[in-house]
Amino acid sequence: MNATPIVAVTMGDGAGVGPEIVVEAVVSPDVLAVCRPVVIGDLARLRQAAAIRGVDATFNVVADVADATFQDGVVDVVDLGLLPEDLPWGRLSPVAGDAAFQYIRVACEAAMAGKVQAICTAPLNKEALHAGGHVFPGHTEMLAELMGVDEVSMMLSTAKLKVVHVTTHVGLIDAVARIEPGLVERTIRRGNEALVRAGNPHPKIGVAAINPHAGENGLFGYGEEAEKIAPGVEAARADGIDAVGPLPADTLFFLAGRGDYDLVVAMYHDQGHGPVKVLGIEAGVNITVGLPVIRTSVDHGTAFDIAGTGKADVASMIEALRQAAELAPTSGAMSQSQGA
């Protein structure tokens, strides 16, 4: 019996690079060694992408994820057939935006039914998504709603640095207003759980401050560190989690980059994304923690400027699939998560 996890792979925006990186990644020996991928997308677009990339594969259309056969050299596809065959590459399309949503919806249904142990998503375009009638800030919020989860966290993972975010797709003023001890504590817990699941039994977690120099005893800011962050850190520590902070963000990221911390808890989007992007967009994997199953994605966009040219780098998609397999919960862990 094959013990590797089944991963639902969504094609992303069909006008972007998603079809290209998906079709090449799912036949990669590095991917097939660790998981069993099933693509949810459009067969015609995947065939076009395979021709562009020179990928030698055959396609097996299945009506349901549970019908996948997982044969060598064969791409199992749940074909939703939503895209016109003449859809232009690299152009914003409401049809492609709606299709990207439908791929995610089907993947979430498969996850909730226990048919897959993880979801790996190719990039979508937020403007196309909205034009297609689905107004979400991004994948993270969409997945949470579709799976009926009140709160999840975004984690970025690279070989040198892992970052989980307390707030994500909101303006900076709104982010500071949203930060409160309970949210900080829950974010620490979700990050800790993800690293434990990945095989680190005792992660060391550094929690970033909001203000320069962590407020320097009230010199900067209005006491946000003491009011909004420190109590959440203390609550996590009281439950045995090795969390430290709030710490000055600039120093914390340096220390984490050299290995002193396994995970950084960032307070807002760019505080966490900036250091990761400096390492190179292709190096990062976007992970949603707190769902019934793990979800990973490349940490780059649809790249309309190179879509359909065969130039997109597949390395990040392969890494996203590898981490999906690594973080995929066992059936017992899934049952506990769904019952939580």
Side-chain angles (χ1 to χ4, degrees):
M1 181 175 180
N2 196 327
T4 60
I6 299 173
V7 180
V9 186
T10 59
M11 198 179 78
D13 190 303
V17 297
E20 297 175 63
I21 60 175
V22 164
V23 77
E24 184 166 339
V26 296
V27 296
S28 164
D30 291 340
V31 168
L32 297 177
V34 296
C35 71
R36 292 172 286 166
V38 182
V39 180
I40 300 173
D42 270 59
L43 175 64
R45 199 57 159 182
L46 291 166
R47 288 189 186 279
Q48 292 173 4
I52 289 168
R53 302 290 292 203
V55 172
D56 183 15
T58 57
F59 294 86
N60 176 43
V61 177
V62 295
D64 187 88
V65 168
D67 299 326
T69 59
F70 308 113
Q71 301 175 61
D72 289 344
V74 177
V75 179
D76 290 301
V77 183
V78 178
D79 178 23
L80 299 192
L82 299 173
L83 302 178
E85 290 200 25
D86 60 351
L87 179 76
W89 294 96
R91 294 185 190 175
L92 190 141
S93 164
V95 174
D98 173 60
F101 171 83
Q102 302 303 334
Y103 308 149
I104 294 291
R105 176 187 58 78
V106 172
C108 288
E109 290 172 356
M112 297 299 287
K115 297 175 182 177
V116 302
Q117 287 74 60
I119 296 172
C120 183
T121 61
L124 53 74
N125 182 281
K126 294 183 181 69
E127 189 176 351
L129 180 71
H130 294 180
H134 308 286
V135 183
F136 293 92
H139 262 126
T140 305
E141 297 81 3
M142 187 194 316
L143 287 155
E145 180 168 315
L146 287 169
M147 291 196 187
V149 177
D150 292 332
E151 190 176 274
V152 295
S153 295
M154 176 191 293
M155 179 186 291
L156 301 182
S157 177
T158 74
K160 293 186 64 176
L161 186 64
K162 287 181 171 59
V163 184
V164 66
H165 294 69
V166 174
T167 66
T168 51
H169 297 116
V170 294
L172 184 55
I173 292 174
D174 293 332
V176 174
R178 289 190 186 187
I179 296 167
E180 50 88 16
L183 180 56
V184 171
E185 179 190 353
R186 294 190 299 273
T187 304
I188 294 170
R189 288 182 182 278
R190 282 189 286 269
N192 183 75
E193 179 186 356
L195 266 63
V196 170
R197 179 183 292 166
N200 184 343
H202 302 291
K204 187 170 181 60
I205 301 172
V207 182
I210 297 172
N211 295 299
H213 301 205
E216 203 161 302
N217 298 317
L219 183 61
F220 307 118
Y222 299 93
E224 289 89 352
E225 279 69 29
E227 176 189 346
K228 293 173 172 285
I229 303 175
V233 177
E234 292 164 7
R237 288 183 61 83
D239 203 25
I241 296 174
D242 188 5
V244 181
L247 302 172
D250 53 355
T251 304
L252 172 56
F253 278 104
F254 166 74
L255 295 174
R258 75 178 189 184
D260 292 13
Y261 293 95
D262 300 305
L263 177 68
V264 171
V265 179
M267 291 298 120
Y268 52 91
H269 185 281
D270 283 13
Q271 186 184 57
H273 277 60
V276 171
K277 294 292 177 69
V278 166
L279 297 174
I281 287 178
E282 73 284 351
V285 171
N286 189 323
I287 303 170
T288 306
V289 293
L291 296 170
V293 298
I294 205 72
R295 171 261 175 172
T296 67
S297 180
V298 294
D299 190 35
H300 63 70
T302 48
F304 280 168
D305 57 326
I306 60 170
T309 67
K311 296 179 180 178
D313 190 343
V314 73
S316 186
M317 192 72 196
I318 291 174
E319 178 62 14
L321 278 159
R322 189 195 67 77
Q323 291 207 32
E326 181 180 276
L327 294 169
T330 62
S331 59
M334 283 179 64
S335 298
Q336 292 172 7
S337 297
Q338 290 169 339

